[in-house]
Amino acid sequence: EVQLVESGGGLVQPGGSLRLSCAASGFTFSSYWMHWVRQAPGKGLVWVSRINSDGSSTSYADSVKGRFTISRDNAKNTLYLQMNSLRAEDTAVYYCARTYNWKDAFDIWGQGTMVTVSS
Amino acid sequence: DIQMTQSPSTLSASVGDRVTITCRASQSISSWLAWYQQKPGKAPKLLIYDASSLESGVPSRFSGSGSGTEFTLTISSLQPDDFATYYCHQYNSYWTFGQGTKVEIK
């Protein structure tokens, strides 16, 4: 079964850090671009970051640029999001999702992991 | 940045109704548009990609049309399982979502 499973969410104080993981199974992880998309409580979907299939290229939404870092370990079939200098407005459910390339829809999503930034 | 605007924001309908949701892009995105369904507490589910291609396993009552800047998602006969929030998503340049359309029971 094709599956993405996120982990690593939780409660963190403003200014703190957190690392999210997304474990992939059931498909050739190294062939796919991977993304993080977030959804604040009661709000819509917002793309956060992407990484290409071999990890050589990344991009970020302006709202997280310089604070978040996306990476992947193709040997471990795992995607990561290192989140630093967290703010209250980063509070959201974070989903990982895959695309086959840069012009593709998100066909598989994880179940999401909740990140709450609060003192 | 490409902005995506959906209408309406909320739609009240009955089982069996034909439902249409519109999505407009701030500039041409060719046919690089997808539609997702999301239920509370769940991840989005891909319904339509490349504006009009039905994702495998998705019921044929869902259809998509449009190109350039105007797109529609149509549910030909609304079923109880279809009450949810729907999002459009452009992937022509980076990735942007519409604000969502909640389909609720009339």
Side-chain angles (χ1 to χ4, degrees), chain B residues 64-82:
Chain B
S65 64
S67 66
T69 61
E70 288 222 13
F71 302 86
T72 58
L73 172 70
T74 299
I75 308 173
S76 59
S77 178
L78 198 65
Q79 298 302 300
D81 191 48
D82 301 339

Side-chain angles (χ1 to χ4, degrees), chain A residues 65-77:
Chain A
K65 203 172 293 182
R67 301 187 299 123
F68 289 13
T69 302
I70 191 171
S71 62
R72 66 191 296 161
D73 185 335
N74 284 346
K76 294 183 177 179
N77 291 338

